[in-house]
Amino acid sequence: MIIFPAIDLKEGQCVRLLEGRMDSATVYSRDPGGTARNWQEQGASFIHVVDLDGAFAGKPRNREAIRQILEAVEVPVQVGGGIRDLETMEELFSMGVNRVILGSAAILKPELVAEAGRRYGAKVLVGIDARDGRVAIQGWGETVSKTALQLAREVKELGVQRIVFTDIRRDGRLSGPNLGATGELARDSGLKVIASGGVSSLEDIRAVKALEKDGVEGAIVGKALYTGAVKLPEALALARGGV
């Protein structure tokens, strides 16, 4: 199982939000590149980056911070937030981004998801963010009628192989991930799933790892790393099969 340290960018700074609310941002670092380097030095094999401003604006707003991260590390980096066209994807790939994550576009522009899948294959993921089971888009500001499972099945038909699933109610609360919904989504969709939102302890990571048999292949960890509730080397050892 892969542990993805999360770097959420707001105005060039590394922050964490509570349930996706921009007015709840806590700044943890003003050095995105240094933060990424720190996670790499502690053993991270993949970095997860979200352009929060981009998610709300509908186009990337933190290119310079993303560039700093890419220059600071050698491990692969996946980026989401405000990616709504092929030109933006091409720009990010040319900068050195390994994978891009489409969010609102999966609802607003399914034809883009299909074309991106044809062009870039496994380099394109879809982020499915759910509030009480329903999909949230536009920086989590709008909830639509479609369920997470309905959207997962639709993007699979479009050629997507892997999704990032976030339960918004758990995000930033250190209350534990929604294991039931995550496992069910993986089993019922047949997609590879990266769990996101709420990881607060090594016990949570152990619980997510138990879902590997269902198709859950990783966990994104944010606030718990920044507060010290979870130590990255310990999380990585557990994810590799330790106890």
Side-chain angles (χ1 to χ4, degrees):
M1 186 176 84
I2 301 173
I3 299 295
F4 298 81
I7 299 179
D8 289 0
L9 298 171
K10 182 176 185 287
E11 298 173 357
Q13 302 176 117
C14 303
V15 307
R16 296 302 297 169
L17 306 184
L18 186 65
E19 295 184 6
R21 300 198 310 271
M22 288 292 267
D23 61 0
S24 70
T26 299
V27 178
Y28 284 103
S29 171
R30 291 175 170 79
D31 180 7
T35 300
R37 188 182 307 110
N38 176 50
W39 297 140
Q40 176 180 270
E41 289 173 350
Q42 290 189 45
S45 62
F46 224 119
I47 305 288
H48 175 80
V49 177
V50 178
D51 182 341
L52 294 172
D53 300 299
F56 281 87
K59 55 185 176 181
R61 295 294 196 196
N62 284 280
R63 287 181 176 84
E64 182 52 38
I66 293 169
R67 195 181 309 279
Q68 290 172 19
I69 291 168
L70 294 167
E71 291 175 351
V73 299
E74 297 175 357
V75 298
V77 175
Q78 62 185 28
V79 174
I83 303 171
R84 307 280 174 85
D85 54 58
L86 292 167
E87 290 75 18
T88 299
M89 284 182 242
E90 183 58 40
E91 178 188 6
L92 290 168
F93 286 137
S94 67
M95 288 169 61
V97 169
N98 181 267
R99 302 196 301 210
V100 299
I101 304 165
L102 299 176
S104 299
I107 290 285
L108 302 174
K109 296 182 176 181
E111 70 282 358
L112 173 64
V113 178
E115 179 59 28
R118 282 193 290 270
R119 289 196 189 191
Y120 304 115
K123 285 181 169 290
V124 177
L125 285 64
V126 165
I128 298 182
D129 306 325
R131 182 184 286 111
D132 302 323
R134 303 289 174 175
V135 174
I137 61 173
Q138 308 285 37
W140 297 354
E142 178 185 346
T143 303
V144 300
S145 61
K146 191 165 293 183
T147 68
L149 179 57
Q150 286 173 330
L151 182 57
R153 287 172 171 166
E154 288 178 9
V155 300
K156 183 181 181 182
E157 288 295 315
L158 296 175
V160 170
Q161 303 172 30
R162 180 179 286 106
I163 60 175
V164 176
F165 174 63
T166 305
D167 183 331
I168 296 169
R169 298 293 189 197
R170 308 293 181 105
D171 192 65
R173 286 202 169 276
L174 298 179
S175 58
N178 190 332
L179 297 167
T182 303
E184 182 180 17
L185 186 61
R187 289 191 300 273
D188 292 351
S189 71
L191 291 166
K192 297 174 183 176
V193 175
I194 298 170
S196 174
V199 171
S200 63
S201 65
L202 292 178
E203 283 305 312
D204 288 337
I205 291 169
R206 186 176 286 109
V208 174
K209 184 172 176 59
L211 298 175
E212 276 189 298
K213 64 184 184 302
D214 297 318
V216 178
E217 65 173 16
I220 294 167
V221 188
K223 189 174 183 178
L225 292 177
Y226 291 93
T227 63
V230 170
K231 305 296 185 186
L232 183 57
E234 295 176 1
L236 293 169
L238 182 57
R240 286 193 295 266
V243 295

